Amino acid sequence: MKIGEVIKKLRLIYGYKAAELSQQVDISASYLSEIEHGSKIPTFDLLQKFATVYGIKLSSLILISEEYTDMLDKGKSEQYVRRKMLDLINKMSEGLDEE
């Protein structure tokens, strides 16, 4: 499971700098970097903090990571990320009035 890569991609999608996200989940920026690069595995408590910051359920974060890993193994990770970004944009724009 590539949870660190998913955490990083979500951080970039949401527009957080590493220092901002690490502060929000109460870890050092260097520890966040180790998680994002796969040399450290976050605890479930820390994953819950990431999920809270991203506004998703912990189970969704884990599922996204599993799906991403499957697509990565098939050589389709970028397509998966694009689809998830589109889903996120659609979800975030629900109920907004067009001007």
Side-chain angles (χ1 to χ4, degrees), residues 60-82:
S60 296
L61 179 60
I62 293 169
L63 179 62
I64 290 168
S65 178
E66 289 176 352
E67 289 176 350
Y68 175 75
T69 301
D70 289 345
M71 294 301 280
L72 187 63
D73 292 343
K74 296 175 185 174
K76 298 179 179 180
S77 62
E78 290 307 313
Q79 293 164 337
Y80 176 75
V81 170
R82 285 188 196 111

Side-chain angles (χ1 to χ4, degrees), residues 1-82:
M1 184 163 44
K2 305 283 186 184
I3 192 76
E5 288 181 36
V6 170
I7 288 170
K8 181 176 183 175
K9 288 188 182 297
L10 286 170
R11 175 175 64 79
L12 296 173
I13 289 168
Y14 279 81
Y16 288 110
K17 294 182 180 174
E20 294 170 329
L21 180 59
S22 62
Q23 186 176 32
Q24 286 198 24
V25 296
D26 198 29
I27 60 173
S28 68
S30 61
Y31 187 58
L32 175 60
S33 177
E34 291 177 307
I35 291 170
E36 290 182 348
H37 290 95
S39 59
K40 298 285 183 181
I41 304 296
T43 64
F44 277 108
D45 288 339
L46 185 52
L47 287 174
Q48 179 61 60
K49 289 180 181 182
F50 284 116
T52 299
V53 168
Y54 296 138
I56 60 176
K57 295 179 183 179
L58 174 58
S59 58
S60 296
L61 179 60
I62 293 169
L63 179 62
I64 290 168
S65 178
E66 289 176 352
E67 289 176 350
Y68 175 75
T69 301
D70 289 345
M71 294 301 280
L72 187 63
D73 292 343
K74 296 175 185 174
K76 298 179 179 180
S77 62
E78 290 307 313
Q79 293 164 337
Y80 176 75
V81 170
R82 285 188 196 111

